[in-house]
Amino acid sequence: IDRYARLGWQMSTHVQGDKTIDAVLDVYEDTLKKYGSGKSPYRLEHCGTMRDDQIQRAMDLGIVCSFFVPHIYHWGDPIRGALFGPERAANYMPAGSATRIGMRVSYHSDAPMTEPAPLLAIQTAVTRRTKSGEVLGADQRVTLDQALKAMTIDAAHHIGLDEEVGSLEIGKRADFVVLESNPYQVAPETLASIKVRGTWLDG
């Protein structure tokens, strides 16, 4: 990290366990003191078992988190039943906690680990429902507004492109999709089934 941070590169590290997150935050803090973050914020990817104090520390350092939210849908049932148990699993992928303190989070699919399905990520962030339909950590749910921002303007912020993409504004690229249904007028549990009628790049 030190080798490339001194060249002005954005740092992004895949982290899952909380001990690993502590270690990476230590390195990030030291590196940020020496070189600053440049145009794009340093980022943590996945963040499955991130604790509240770690989220706050990242926020204080200007570090952002990209949560592998679809992991809850695809593997939430065994995560709760066989891996962590119900109490720890309820805070798995704590996107709600990070959003509540004002962090500009994003969601990702870790393709090809799971298919790149933005509407499934949004549905899962809003409902926290696993593939079986069980709710894994209701306290970590976010609003539809917050989920849409995480998949658009805040994701663009993560890669330093929020002045070019991520929202429809004069002077930005006209990148958008046309959906067959209004996400605000369907049941949250059905968001992933909305069909994409068209995808536009640069208008």
Side-chain angles (χ1 to χ4, degrees), residues 129-178:
R129 289 191 182 275
T130 68
K131 191 175 285 189
S132 73
E134 295 296 314
V135 175
L136 187 66
D139 289 346
Q140 292 298 339
R141 289 183 291 205
V142 300
T143 67
L144 181 55
D145 278 348
Q146 291 167 333
L148 287 169
K149 284 185 67 179
M151 291 301 297
T152 55
I153 188 65
D154 289 345
H157 168 69
H158 280 207
I159 56 174
L161 291 178
D162 44 334
E163 293 183 3
E164 298 180 40
V165 296
S167 61
L168 295 177
E169 299 179 53
I170 293 172
K172 289 189 176 185
R173 304 180 202 168
D175 292 356
F176 61 92
V177 294
V178 179

mmCIF file of all heavy atoms in Angstrom, residues 129-178:
data_model
loop_
_atom_site.group_PDB
_atom_site.id
_atom_site.type_symbol
_atom_site.label_atom_id
_atom_site.label_comp_id
_atom_site.label_asym_id
_atom_site.label_seq_id
_atom_site.Cartn_x
_atom_site.Cartn_y
_atom_site.Cartn_z
ATOM 1 N N ARG A 129 -33.465 -9.610 3.199
ATOM 2 C CA ARG A 129 -34.011 -10.957 3.073
ATOM 3 C C ARG A 129 -33.019 -11.891 2.389
ATOM 4 O O ARG A 129 -32.412 -11.546 1.386
ATOM 5 C CB ARG A 129 -35.331 -10.955 2.305
ATOM 6 C CG ARG A 129 -36.480 -10.349 3.098
ATOM 7 C CD ARG A 129 -37.827 -10.601 2.435
ATOM 8 N NE ARG A 129 -38.899 -9.970 3.189
ATOM 9 C CZ ARG A 129 -39.509 -10.518 4.240
ATOM 10 N NH1 ARG A 129 -39.162 -11.731 4.633
ATOM 11 N NH2 ARG A 129 -40.469 -9.870 4.871
ATOM 12 N N THR A 130 -32.903 -13.091 2.949
ATOM 13 C CA THR A 130 -32.073 -14.129 2.365
ATOM 14 C C THR A 130 -32.845 -14.832 1.252
ATOM 15 O O THR A 130 -34.023 -14.548 1.004
ATOM 16 C CB THR A 130 -31.683 -15.160 3.433
ATOM 17 O OG1 THR A 130 -32.867 -15.874 3.837
ATOM 18 C CG2 THR A 130 -31.064 -14.495 4.658
ATOM 19 N N LYS A 131 -32.187 -15.786 0.600
ATOM 20 C CA LYS A 131 -32.835 -16.522 -0.487
ATOM 21 C C LYS A 131 -34.078 -17.261 -0.003
ATOM 22 O O LYS A 131 -35.049 -17.425 -0.742
ATOM 23 C CB LYS A 131 -31.846 -17.511 -1.111
ATOM 24 C CG LYS A 131 -32.323 -18.121 -2.409
ATOM 25 C CD LYS A 131 -31.260 -19.004 -3.041
ATOM 26 C CE LYS A 131 -30.172 -18.171 -3.680
ATOM 27 N NZ LYS A 131 -29.223 -18.997 -4.490
ATOM 28 N N SER A 132 -34.080 -17.679 1.259
ATOM 29 C CA SER A 132 -35.251 -18.387 1.801
ATOM 30 C C SER A 132 -36.365 -17.441 2.220
ATOM 31 O O SER A 132 -37.456 -17.884 2.581
ATOM 32 C CB SER A 132 -34.835 -19.228 3.011
ATOM 33 O OG SER A 132 -34.568 -18.388 4.137
ATOM 34 N N GLY A 133 -36.093 -16.127 2.201
ATOM 35 C CA GLY A 133 -37.097 -15.147 2.599
ATOM 36 C C GLY A 133 -36.979 -14.674 4.032
ATOM 37 O O GLY A 133 -37.724 -13.788 4.462
ATOM 38 N N GLU A 134 -36.036 -15.234 4.782
ATOM 39 C CA GLU A 134 -35.830 -14.808 6.170
ATOM 40 C C GLU A 134 -35.123 -13.455 6.213
ATOM 41 O O GLU A 134 -34.305 -13.150 5.344
ATOM 42 C CB GLU A 134 -35.007 -15.855 6.929
ATOM 43 C CG GLU A 134 -35.691 -17.194 7.086
ATOM 44 C CD GLU A 134 -36.950 -17.106 7.928
ATOM 45 O OE1 GLU A 134 -36.900 -16.468 9.000
ATOM 46 O OE2 GLU A 134 -37.979 -17.660 7.501
ATOM 47 N N VAL A 135 -35.423 -12.653 7.243
ATOM 48 C CA VAL A 135 -34.776 -11.359 7.410
ATOM 49 C C VAL A 135 -33.529 -11.542 8.276
ATOM 50 O O VAL A 135 -33.605 -12.066 9.387
ATOM 51 C CB VAL A 135 -35.731 -10.333 8.060
ATOM 52 C CG1 VAL A 135 -35.000 -9.025 8.347
ATOM 53 C CG2 VAL A 135 -36.926 -10.084 7.151
ATOM 54 N N LEU A 136 -32.398 -11.111 7.744
ATOM 55 C CA LEU A 136 -31.130 -11.233 8.456
ATOM 56 C C LEU A 136 -30.693 -9.836 8.910
ATOM 57 O O LEU A 136 -30.088 -9.073 8.154
ATOM 58 C CB LEU A 136 -30.067 -11.844 7.536
ATOM 59 C CG LEU A 136 -28.715 -12.184 8.181
ATOM 60 C CD1 LEU A 136 -28.894 -13.298 9.202
ATOM 61 C CD2 LEU A 136 -27.711 -12.599 7.121
ATOM 62 N N GLY A 137 -31.060 -9.485 10.138
ATOM 63 C CA GLY A 137 -30.641 -8.197 10.686
ATOM 64 C C GLY A 137 -31.502 -7.039 10.239
ATOM 65 O O GLY A 137 -31.065 -6.180 9.467
ATOM 66 N N ALA A 138 -32.730 -6.996 10.740
ATOM 67 C CA ALA A 138 -33.660 -5.933 10.342
ATOM 68 C C ALA A 138 -33.102 -4.548 10.647
ATOM 69 O O ALA A 138 -33.393 -3.588 9.922
ATOM 70 C CB ALA A 138 -35.006 -6.131 11.054
ATOM 71 N N ASP A 139 -32.283 -4.419 11.691
ATOM 72 C CA ASP A 139 -31.724 -3.117 12.067
ATOM 73 C C ASP A 139 -30.737 -2.588 11.039
ATOM 74 O O ASP A 139 -30.393 -1.403 11.066
ATOM 75 C CB ASP A 139 -31.019 -3.197 13.429
ATOM 76 C CG ASP A 139 -32.000 -3.357 14.577
ATOM 77 O OD1 ASP A 139 -33.217 -3.137 14.366
ATOM 78 O OD2 ASP A 139 -31.554 -3.702 15.687
ATOM 79 N N GLN A 140 -30.282 -3.433 10.139
ATOM 80 C CA GLN A 140 -29.317 -3.003 9.118
ATOM 81 C C GLN A 140 -29.993 -2.627 7.794
ATOM 82 O O GLN A 140 -29.316 -2.328 6.821
ATOM 83 C CB GLN A 140 -28.272 -4.101 8.882
ATOM 84 C CG GLN A 140 -27.344 -4.334 10.056
ATOM 85 C CD GLN A 140 -26.503 -3.110 10.389
ATOM 86 O OE1 GLN A 140 -26.311 -2.230 9.562
ATOM 87 N NE2 GLN A 140 -26.003 -3.046 11.623
ATOM 88 N N ARG A 141 -31.322 -2.625 7.773
ATOM 89 C CA ARG A 141 -32.019 -2.219 6.550
ATOM 90 C C ARG A 141 -31.839 -0.722 6.308
ATOM 91 O O ARG A 141 -31.652 0.058 7.233
ATOM 92 C CB ARG A 141 -33.515 -2.544 6.652
ATOM 93 C CG ARG A 141 -33.800 -4.028 6.586
ATOM 94 C CD ARG A 141 -35.272 -4.342 6.616
ATOM 95 N NE ARG A 141 -35.851 -4.044 7.909
ATOM 96 C CZ ARG A 141 -36.954 -4.630 8.384
ATOM 97 N NH1 ARG A 141 -37.602 -5.512 7.657
ATOM 98 N NH2 ARG A 141 -37.416 -4.314 9.573
ATOM 99 N N VAL A 142 -31.917 -0.340 5.033
ATOM 100 C CA VAL A 142 -31.837 1.072 4.651
ATOM 101 C C VAL A 142 -33.095 1.423 3.863
ATOM 102 O O VAL A 142 -33.865 0.549 3.467
ATOM 103 C CB VAL A 142 -30.577 1.375 3.810
ATOM 104 C CG1 VAL A 142 -29.312 1.046 4.593
ATOM 105 C CG2 VAL A 142 -30.604 0.631 2.486
ATOM 106 N N THR A 143 -33.292 2.699 3.619
ATOM 107 C CA THR A 143 -34.432 3.124 2.811
ATOM 108 C C THR A 143 -34.109 2.944 1.326
ATOM 109 O O THR A 143 -32.943 2.803 0.938
ATOM 110 C CB THR A 143 -34.771 4.605 3.061
ATOM 111 O OG1 THR A 143 -33.682 5.414 2.559
ATOM 112 C CG2 THR A 143 -34.983 4.887 4.545
ATOM 113 N N LEU A 144 -35.148 2.973 0.502
ATOM 114 C CA LEU A 144 -34.933 2.868 -0.936
ATOM 115 C C LEU A 144 -34.107 4.048 -1.445
ATOM 116 O O LEU A 144 -33.225 3.875 -2.297
ATOM 117 C CB LEU A 144 -36.279 2.783 -1.661
ATOM 118 C CG LEU A 144 -36.219 2.649 -3.186
ATOM 119 C CD1 LEU A 144 -35.372 1.457 -3.615
ATOM 120 C CD2 LEU A 144 -37.633 2.540 -3.755
ATOM 121 N N ASP A 145 -34.359 5.240 -0.940
ATOM 122 C CA ASP A 145 -33.553 6.405 -1.321
ATOM 123 C C ASP A 145 -32.070 6.145 -1.043
ATOM 124 O O ASP A 145 -31.203 6.417 -1.887
ATOM 125 C CB ASP A 145 -33.985 7.645 -0.536
ATOM 126 C CG ASP A 145 -35.198 8.335 -1.131
ATOM 127 O OD1 ASP A 145 -35.583 8.004 -2.274
ATOM 128 O OD2 ASP A 145 -35.762 9.213 -0.455
ATOM 129 N N GLN A 146 -31.777 5.641 0.145
ATOM 130 C CA GLN A 146 -30.388 5.401 0.525
ATOM 131 C C GLN A 146 -29.750 4.322 -0.345
ATOM 132 O O GLN A 146 -28.590 4.436 -0.749
ATOM 133 C CB GLN A 146 -30.318 5.011 2.002
ATOM 134 C CG GLN A 146 -30.660 6.160 2.940
ATOM 135 C CD GLN A 146 -30.897 5.714 4.370
ATOM 136 O OE1 GLN A 146 -31.301 4.572 4.630
ATOM 137 N NE2 GLN A 146 -30.648 6.615 5.320
ATOM 138 N N ALA A 147 -30.508 3.283 -0.659
ATOM 139 C CA ALA A 147 -29.980 2.199 -1.485
ATOM 140 C C ALA A 147 -29.709 2.672 -2.910
ATOM 141 O O ALA A 147 -28.684 2.314 -3.509
ATOM 142 C CB ALA A 147 -30.951 1.024 -1.489
ATOM 143 N N LEU A 148 -30.605 3.476 -3.455
ATOM 144 C CA LEU A 148 -30.397 3.983 -4.809
ATOM 145 C C LEU A 148 -29.172 4.891 -4.876
ATOM 146 O O LEU A 148 -28.408 4.853 -5.841
ATOM 147 C CB LEU A 148 -31.641 4.728 -5.292
ATOM 148 C CG LEU A 148 -32.848 3.842 -5.635
ATOM 149 C CD1 LEU A 148 -34.099 4.684 -5.833
ATOM 150 C CD2 LEU A 148 -32.570 3.013 -6.886
ATOM 151 N N LYS A 149 -28.961 5.707 -3.853
ATOM 152 C CA LYS A 149 -27.762 6.550 -3.811
ATOM 153 C C LYS A 149 -26.500 5.692 -3.749
ATOM 154 O O LYS A 149 -25.490 6.016 -4.379
ATOM 155 C CB LYS A 149 -27.814 7.487 -2.604
ATOM 156 C CG LYS A 149 -28.755 8.663 -2.755
ATOM 157 C CD LYS A 149 -28.655 9.609 -1.564
ATOM 158 C CE LYS A 149 -27.296 10.279 -1.519
ATOM 159 N NZ LYS A 149 -27.175 11.237 -0.386
ATOM 160 N N ALA A 150 -26.558 4.598 -2.988
ATOM 161 C CA ALA A 150 -25.391 3.723 -2.870
ATOM 162 C C ALA A 150 -25.021 3.085 -4.205
ATOM 163 O O ALA A 150 -23.841 2.809 -4.462
ATOM 164 C CB ALA A 150 -25.652 2.630 -1.833
ATOM 165 N N MET A 151 -26.006 2.880 -5.075
ATOM 166 C CA MET A 151 -25.755 2.251 -6.370
ATOM 167 C C MET A 151 -25.486 3.263 -7.477
ATOM 168 O O MET A 151 -25.188 2.873 -8.600
ATOM 169 C CB MET A 151 -26.951 1.372 -6.768
ATOM 170 C CG MET A 151 -27.134 0.140 -5.921
ATOM 171 S SD MET A 151 -25.718 -0.987 -5.912
ATOM 172 C CE MET A 151 -25.657 -1.460 -7.637
ATOM 173 N N THR A 152 -25.595 4.561 -7.163
ATOM 174 C CA THR A 152 -25.440 5.570 -8.217
ATOM 175 C C THR A 152 -24.407 6.627 -7.810
ATOM 176 O O THR A 152 -23.214 6.448 -8.009
ATOM 177 C CB THR A 152 -26.801 6.209 -8.558
ATOM 178 O OG1 THR A 152 -27.408 6.735 -7.356
ATOM 179 C CG2 THR A 152 -27.750 5.185 -9.185
ATOM 180 N N ILE A 153 -24.847 7.722 -7.213
ATOM 181 C CA ILE A 153 -23.964 8.849 -6.961
ATOM 182 C C ILE A 153 -22.864 8.518 -5.943
ATOM 183 O O ILE A 153 -21.722 8.963 -6.075
ATOM 184 C CB ILE A 153 -24.763 10.107 -6.520
ATOM 185 C CG1 ILE A 153 -23.857 11.335 -6.453
ATOM 186 C CG2 ILE A 153 -25.504 9.881 -5.212
ATOM 187 C CD1 ILE A 153 -23.280 11.769 -7.790
ATOM 188 N N ASP A 154 -23.199 7.719 -4.923
ATOM 189 C CA ASP A 154 -22.171 7.408 -3.931
ATOM 190 C C ASP A 154 -21.171 6.386 -4.462
ATOM 191 O O ASP A 154 -19.992 6.428 -4.103
ATOM 192 C CB ASP A 154 -22.809 6.950 -2.625
ATOM 193 C CG ASP A 154 -23.503 8.089 -1.896
ATOM 194 O OD1 ASP A 154 -23.255 9.259 -2.251
ATOM 195 O OD2 ASP A 154 -24.304 7.820 -0.972
ATOM 196 N N ALA A 155 -21.623 5.485 -5.329
ATOM 197 C CA ALA A 155 -20.683 4.574 -5.993
ATOM 198 C C ALA A 155 -19.734 5.363 -6.890
ATOM 199 O O ALA A 155 -18.534 5.073 -6.952
ATOM 200 C CB ALA A 155 -21.450 3.532 -6.800
ATOM 201 N N ALA A 156 -20.272 6.372 -7.582
ATOM 202 C CA ALA A 156 -19.422 7.223 -8.411
ATOM 203 C C ALA A 156 -18.396 7.970 -7.557
ATOM 204 O O ALA A 156 -17.233 8.143 -7.955
ATOM 205 C CB ALA A 156 -20.277 8.209 -9.204
ATOM 206 N N HIS A 157 -18.813 8.412 -6.370
ATOM 207 C CA HIS A 157 -17.892 9.075 -5.437
ATOM 208 C C HIS A 157 -16.743 8.148 -5.059
ATOM 209 O O HIS A 157 -15.589 8.592 -4.936
ATOM 210 C CB HIS A 157 -18.664 9.506 -4.191
ATOM 211 C CG HIS A 157 -17.804 9.937 -3.049
ATOM 212 N ND1 HIS A 157 -17.056 11.093 -3.072
ATOM 213 C CD2 HIS A 157 -17.555 9.344 -1.846
ATOM 214 C CE1 HIS A 157 -16.392 11.208 -1.922
ATOM 215 N NE2 HIS A 157 -16.672 10.158 -1.175
ATOM 216 N N HIS A 158 -17.039 6.864 -4.896
ATOM 217 C CA HIS A 158 -16.011 5.902 -4.504
ATOM 218 C C HIS A 158 -14.868 5.825 -5.501
ATOM 219 O O HIS A 158 -13.740 5.502 -5.122
ATOM 220 C CB HIS A 158 -16.631 4.511 -4.335
ATOM 221 C CG HIS A 158 -17.326 4.330 -3.025
ATOM 222 N ND1 HIS A 158 -17.476 3.099 -2.426
ATOM 223 C CD2 HIS A 158 -17.927 5.212 -2.196
ATOM 224 C CE1 HIS A 158 -18.133 3.231 -1.280
ATOM 225 N NE2 HIS A 158 -18.416 4.513 -1.130
ATOM 226 N N ILE A 159 -15.154 6.078 -6.764
ATOM 227 C CA ILE A 159 -14.094 5.986 -7.772
ATOM 228 C C ILE A 159 -13.715 7.363 -8.321
ATOM 229 O O ILE A 159 -13.078 7.474 -9.363
ATOM 230 C CB ILE A 159 -14.486 5.030 -8.912
ATOM 231 C CG1 ILE A 159 -15.813 5.436 -9.554
ATOM 232 C CG2 ILE A 159 -14.547 3.591 -8.399
ATOM 233 C CD1 ILE A 159 -16.172 4.608 -10.787
ATOM 234 N N GLY A 160 -14.130 8.402 -7.612
ATOM 235 C CA GLY A 160 -13.713 9.747 -7.978
ATOM 236 C C GLY A 160 -14.342 10.276 -9.246
ATOM 237 O O GLY A 160 -13.788 11.170 -9.884
ATOM 238 N N LEU A 161 -15.533 9.766 -9.597
ATOM 239 C CA LEU A 161 -16.186 10.195 -10.832
ATOM 240 C C LEU A 161 -17.542 10.852 -10.586
ATOM 241 O O LEU A 161 -18.344 10.971 -11.508
ATOM 242 C CB LEU A 161 -16.370 8.995 -11.777
ATOM 243 C CG LEU A 161 -15.104 8.408 -12.389
ATOM 244 C CD1 LEU A 161 -15.441 7.195 -13.248
ATOM 245 C CD2 LEU A 161 -14.366 9.452 -13.223
ATOM 246 N N ASP A 162 -17.809 11.289 -9.370
ATOM 247 C CA ASP A 162 -19.137 11.839 -9.080
ATOM 248 C C ASP A 162 -19.379 13.195 -9.724
ATOM 249 O O ASP A 162 -20.516 13.674 -9.728
ATOM 250 C CB ASP A 162 -19.404 11.906 -7.566
ATOM 251 C CG ASP A 162 -18.251 12.435 -6.758
ATOM 252 O OD1 ASP A 162 -17.102 12.308 -7.203
ATOM 253 O OD2 ASP A 162 -18.488 12.979 -5.676
ATOM 254 N N GLU A 163 -18.346 13.802 -10.310
ATOM 255 C CA GLU A 163 -18.581 15.022 -11.076
ATOM 256 C C GLU A 163 -18.899 14.706 -12.540
ATOM 257 O O GLU A 163 -19.227 15.605 -13.310
ATOM 258 C CB GLU A 163 -17.363 15.944 -10.988
ATOM 259 C CG GLU A 163 -17.135 16.496 -9.585
ATOM 260 C CD GLU A 163 -15.981 17.470 -9.526
ATOM 261 O OE1 GLU A 163 -15.395 17.750 -10.593
ATOM 262 O OE2 GLU A 163 -15.662 17.946 -8.424
ATOM 263 N N GLU A 164 -18.798 13.427 -12.916
ATOM 264 C CA GLU A 164 -19.064 13.019 -14.297
ATOM 265 C C GLU A 164 -20.287 12.122 -14.431
ATOM 266 O O GLU A 164 -21.024 12.214 -15.415
ATOM 267 C CB GLU A 164 -17.848 12.271 -14.867
ATOM 268 C CG GLU A 164 -16.584 13.092 -14.943
ATOM 269 C CD GLU A 164 -15.442 12.285 -15.521
ATOM 270 O OE1 GLU A 164 -15.670 11.511 -16.475
ATOM 271 O OE2 GLU A 164 -14.314 12.408 -15.013
ATOM 272 N N VAL A 165 -20.484 11.221 -13.476
ATOM 273 C CA VAL A 165 -21.576 10.251 -13.546
ATOM 274 C C VAL A 165 -22.221 10.118 -12.171
ATOM 275 O O VAL A 165 -21.784 10.730 -11.203
ATOM 276 C CB VAL A 165 -21.074 8.862 -14.020
ATOM 277 C CG1 VAL A 165 -20.528 8.916 -15.435
ATOM 278 C CG2 VAL A 165 -20.015 8.318 -13.063
ATOM 279 N N GLY A 166 -23.284 9.306 -12.103
ATOM 280 C CA GLY A 166 -23.907 9.000 -10.817
ATOM 281 C C GLY A 166 -25.195 9.729 -10.553
ATOM 282 O O GLY A 166 -25.977 9.336 -9.692
ATOM 283 N N SER A 167 -25.446 10.824 -11.280
ATOM 284 C CA SER A 167 -26.707 11.561 -11.171
ATOM 285 C C SER A 167 -26.936 12.275 -12.493
ATOM 286 O O SER A 167 -25.992 12.490 -13.256
ATOM 287 C CB SER A 167 -26.671 12.567 -10.015
ATOM 288 O OG SER A 167 -25.647 13.528 -10.218
ATOM 289 N N LEU A 168 -28.186 12.618 -12.750
ATOM 290 C CA LEU A 168 -28.522 13.321 -13.989
ATOM 291 C C LEU A 168 -28.478 14.817 -13.729
ATOM 292 O O LEU A 168 -29.367 15.372 -13.078
ATOM 293 C CB LEU A 168 -29.904 12.893 -14.489
ATOM 294 C CG LEU A 168 -30.015 11.428 -14.909
ATOM 295 C CD1 LEU A 168 -31.436 11.095 -15.327
ATOM 296 C CD2 LEU A 168 -29.050 11.120 -16.043
ATOM 297 N N GLU A 169 -27.422 15.461 -14.217
ATOM 298 C CA GLU A 169 -27.226 16.892 -14.032
ATOM 299 C C GLU A 169 -26.585 17.474 -15.281
ATOM 300 O O GLU A 169 -25.872 16.776 -16.009
ATOM 301 C CB GLU A 169 -26.313 17.165 -12.832
ATOM 302 C CG GLU A 169 -26.840 16.648 -11.498
ATOM 303 C CD GLU A 169 -25.867 16.932 -10.375
ATOM 304 O OE1 GLU A 169 -25.477 18.112 -10.222
ATOM 305 O OE2 GLU A 169 -25.480 15.998 -9.659
ATOM 306 N N ILE A 170 -26.817 18.755 -15.507
ATOM 307 C CA ILE A 170 -26.198 19.446 -16.638
ATOM 308 C C ILE A 170 -24.679 19.344 -16.506
ATOM 309 O O ILE A 170 -24.117 19.595 -15.440
ATOM 310 C CB ILE A 170 -26.644 20.919 -16.690
ATOM 311 C CG1 ILE A 170 -28.133 21.003 -17.012
ATOM 312 C CG2 ILE A 170 -25.832 21.700 -17.714
ATOM 313 C CD1 ILE A 170 -28.710 22.393 -16.903
ATOM 314 N N GLY A 171 -24.040 18.948 -17.596
ATOM 315 C CA GLY A 171 -22.592 18.836 -17.609
ATOM 316 C C GLY A 171 -22.064 17.446 -17.331
ATOM 317 O O GLY A 171 -20.880 17.180 -17.521
ATOM 318 N N LYS A 172 -22.954 16.537 -16.878
ATOM 319 C CA LYS A 172 -22.533 15.156 -16.637
ATOM 320 C C LYS A 172 -22.928 14.280 -17.822
ATOM 321 O O LYS A 172 -23.762 14.652 -18.647
ATOM 322 C CB LYS A 172 -23.185 14.601 -15.367
ATOM 323 C CG LYS A 172 -22.658 15.178 -14.077
ATOM 324 C CD LYS A 172 -23.224 14.403 -12.903
ATOM 325 C CE LYS A 172 -22.650 14.873 -11.586
ATOM 326 N NZ LYS A 172 -23.110 14.039 -10.464
ATOM 327 N N ARG A 173 -22.314 13.100 -17.883
ATOM 328 C CA ARG A 173 -22.721 12.127 -18.888
ATOM 329 C C ARG A 173 -24.157 11.683 -18.605
ATOM 330 O O ARG A 173 -24.519 11.478 -17.451
ATOM 331 C CB ARG A 173 -21.822 10.893 -18.848
ATOM 332 C CG ARG A 173 -20.349 11.175 -19.016
ATOM 333 C CD ARG A 173 -19.593 9.856 -18.952
ATOM 334 N NE ARG A 173 -18.209 10.064 -18.598
ATOM 335 C CZ ARG A 173 -17.383 9.084 -18.245
ATOM 336 N NH1 ARG A 173 -17.826 7.841 -18.209
ATOM 337 N NH2 ARG A 173 -16.132 9.350 -17.935
ATOM 338 N N ALA A 174 -24.941 11.511 -19.630
ATOM 339 C CA ALA A 174 -26.319 11.038 -19.451
ATOM 340 C C ALA A 174 -26.318 9.511 -19.457
ATOM 341 O O ALA A 174 -26.666 8.864 -20.434
ATOM 342 C CB ALA A 174 -27.229 11.597 -20.536
ATOM 343 N N ASP A 175 -25.882 8.943 -18.344
ATOM 344 C CA ASP A 175 -25.897 7.492 -18.156
ATOM 345 C C ASP A 175 -27.099 7.137 -17.295
ATOM 346 O O ASP A 175 -27.216 7.617 -16.154
ATOM 347 C CB ASP A 175 -24.627 7.023 -17.437
ATOM 348 C CG ASP A 175 -23.368 7.169 -18.273
ATOM 349 O OD1 ASP A 175 -23.473 7.574 -19.447
ATOM 350 O OD2 ASP A 175 -22.281 6.868 -17.744
ATOM 351 N N PHE A 176 -28.004 6.313 -17.805
ATOM 352 C CA PHE A 176 -29.179 5.940 -17.010
ATOM 353 C C PHE A 176 -29.820 4.684 -17.577
ATOM 354 O O PHE A 176 -29.498 4.243 -18.685
ATOM 355 C CB PHE A 176 -30.199 7.087 -16.966
ATOM 356 C CG PHE A 176 -30.736 7.502 -18.308
ATOM 357 C CD1 PHE A 176 -31.901 6.946 -18.820
ATOM 358 C CD2 PHE A 176 -30.077 8.470 -19.060
ATOM 359 C CE1 PHE A 176 -32.394 7.333 -20.055
ATOM 360 C CE2 PHE A 176 -30.568 8.869 -20.298
ATOM 361 C CZ PHE A 176 -31.733 8.292 -20.797
ATOM 362 N N VAL A 177 -30.705 4.099 -16.798
ATOM 363 C CA VAL A 177 -31.492 2.967 -17.272
ATOM 364 C C VAL A 177 -32.961 3.342 -17.244
ATOM 365 O O VAL A 177 -33.380 4.217 -16.482
ATOM 366 C CB VAL A 177 -31.276 1.700 -16.412
ATOM 367 C CG1 VAL A 177 -29.848 1.195 -16.539
ATOM 368 C CG2 VAL A 177 -31.639 1.941 -14.957
ATOM 369 N N VAL A 178 -33.736 2.686 -18.095
ATOM 370 C CA VAL A 178 -35.189 2.827 -18.112
ATOM 371 C C VAL A 178 -35.769 1.521 -17.571
ATOM 372 O O VAL A 178 -35.498 0.447 -18.118
ATOM 373 C CB VAL A 178 -35.716 3.100 -19.535
ATOM 374 C CG1 VAL A 178 -37.235 3.209 -19.523
ATOM 375 C CG2 VAL A 178 -35.099 4.372 -20.098
#
